[in-house]
Amino acid sequence: MTAQHDSYTNARFDDAGARAGYASASSNDARQADSAEAMFRGRLSYESFSSGVSLYFSDMVSRVESEHDGVLARSWTLAINLGEAHSQLTIDNTGQLLLPASGGKVLCVSDQVQMSNHIMPGERCRSLLLTISPGMITDAELTEAIDRATGGTSISDVNMTERLRYLALCLAEPVSTGAAGRLLAESRALELLAHVFGQSTDKNRSQPSHLSHRDHLALQRVRDVIHAAPGRDFTLQDLATEAGMSLSSLKVKFPQAFGQTVFAYLREVRLNYAYERIVNEGWTITQAAHFAGYRHMGNFSKAFRRRFGIKPVDAR
């Protein structure tokens, strides 16, 4: 994967945006007099696979306040927010794409859409994009599926399971390099897509959950509370109160919305949180376990090994 750790000027950031699939891109900063001045600092990486899938990862910190506009052509894009803050884009000056912390969305574009966002100084964006453009795919069945999906412009939620989160983290922070690393990255990208397409198929086959818009908003609050403080000693009653619904309703409706029980979802969030801190931020095993809500190291090590296939010390 082509990766760059550097400072990014206006023009250089535009060029990176074009590689991510923008037909055109522009950046403006009313307070920035010198266009050669660095606007961002961080890392960008890009890879185009033989299967027709493009992978784009960014981990950038803004140095100035800026506005960004881009035109996204017909495509199917899986966007995953690996950061701890929500990310928001305006689409065609009307709609809003809200990408929650540790959340994912699928954006299908039938023709082209205008996208824009406003970034404040010190804001960090850590995201992964997997993009497929019709005409670039070698697999006939996948081509047909993408053609159907991009028949109209739409935004849909992705159930970010522990496996999807793990695959995204591996793509963002690859260990292997060279030919082996490229093959491994492509296999993980394709597995990610397979899981997301599988979720779409399951939704089409399943019966409606009959969740109201109010239920969805309430359950999203529960999810946001979990992501905001994974180490907190939650009880089901705490979360039911947060949602403004009864304990029994939470038990029934949370799996309908997110495909998992409350505590299965909480366990995934905690372990992913610990994994990311150990691998990317150099935390000790004890630190990661504590802030992920585990009070006993034995329980943490067992759960970690069961989910990721390795011991916490090997992840370091």
Side-chain angles (χ1 to χ4, degrees):
M1 181 182 294
T2 303
Q4 297 173 309
H5 301 252
D6 209 344
S7 296
Y8 287 80
T9 61
N10 189 317
R12 221 176 143 199
F13 188 78
D14 285 353
D15 180 64
R19 295 182 63 133
Y22 286 95
S24 62
S26 63
S27 309
N28 301 298
D29 176 21
R31 302 179 310 162
Q32 186 180 3
D34 185 1
S35 62
E37 181 183 346
M39 298 179 65
F40 298 91
R41 184 161 185 84
R43 177 164 69 94
L44 292 173
S45 53
Y46 174 82
E47 186 70 86
S48 181
F49 299 116
S50 59
S51 57
V53 178
S54 296
L55 170 65
Y56 181 84
F57 171 71
S58 78
D59 187 358
M60 309 286 284
V61 177
S62 174
R63 301 182 65 179
V64 296
E65 183 177 356
S66 55
E67 295 279 352
H68 303 273
D69 301 299
V71 178
L72 187 62
R74 186 185 181 202
S75 58
W76 184 100
T77 299
L78 168 62
I80 298 177
N81 183 0
L82 294 172
E84 296 179 6
H86 289 10
S87 177
Q88 183 167 303
L89 295 172
T90 300
I91 300 178
D92 281 341
N93 299 316
T94 54
Q96 295 287 334
L97 171 59
L98 178 64
L99 196 58
S102 302
K105 301 271 188 180
V106 169
L107 173 60
C108 296
V109 177
S110 61
D111 185 12
Q112 65 178 30
V113 294
Q114 181 85 24
M115 304 179 69
S116 63
N117 67 330
H118 185 89
I119 301 178
M120 298 299 294
E123 187 174 335
R124 183 183 183 188
C125 175
R126 190 162 184 259
S127 60
L128 183 79
L129 301 179
L130 284 177
T131 300
I132 305 174
S133 299
M136 300 295 292
I137 315 164
T138 57
D139 183 88
E141 190 172 351
L142 182 57
T143 298
E144 185 179 344
I146 296 299
D147 280 339
R148 286 197 305 268
T150 54
T153 297
S154 64
I155 301 171
S156 57
D157 290 324
V158 173
N159 177 21
M160 285 301 295
T161 65
E162 168 256 322
R163 183 62 183 173
L164 264 63
R165 173 79 172 165
Y166 171 71
L167 290 168
L169 289 171
C170 289
L171 287 169
E173 304 291 343
V175 176
S176 301
T177 57
R182 182 180 173 85
L183 287 172
L184 186 58
E186 183 165 16
S187 69
R188 284 171 169 161
L190 291 174
E191 184 183 348
L192 247 179
L193 294 175
H195 282 295
V196 173
F197 274 106
Q199 286 183 13
S200 177
T201 302
D202 291 343
K203 286 177 183 177
N204 291 336
R205 290 175 178 173
S206 63
Q207 295 297 320
S209 64
H210 303 295
L211 292 178
S212 67
H213 179 64
R214 183 175 180 179
D215 285 336
H216 278 291
L217 292 178
L219 294 168
Q220 284 171 9
R221 284 200 303 273
V222 172
R223 181 184 62 182
D224 291 345
V225 166
I226 290 174
H227 280 283
R232 181 176 153 191
D233 190 16
F234 291 108
T235 66
L236 278 175
Q237 186 58 60
D238 291 335
L239 296 173
T241 301
E242 184 69 36
M245 60 178 59
S246 69
L247 194 60
S248 59
S249 292
L250 178 65
K251 289 180 180 179
V252 171
K253 292 179 179 180
F254 192 92
Q256 290 179 346
F258 302 113
Q260 297 170 286
T261 66
V262 176
F263 280 116
Y265 188 89
L266 175 60
R267 182 170 60 248
E268 286 184 1
V269 171
R270 284 175 166 174
L271 290 171
N272 287 330
Y273 179 87
Y275 178 94
E276 187 170 353
R277 269 53 188 184
I278 292 170
V279 172
N280 298 327
E281 300 186 18
W283 282 21
T284 66
I285 309 303
T286 302
Q287 281 178 311
H290 175 75
F291 286 101
Y294 283 86
R295 304 296 174 248
H296 301 285
M297 287 300 300
N299 293 340
F300 173 69
S301 295
K302 184 178 179 180
F304 192 97
R305 186 169 60 251
R306 185 166 58 245
R307 295 304 175 190
F308 299 115
I310 55 175
K311 299 176 181 178
V313 67
D314 294 332
R316 291 197 71 195

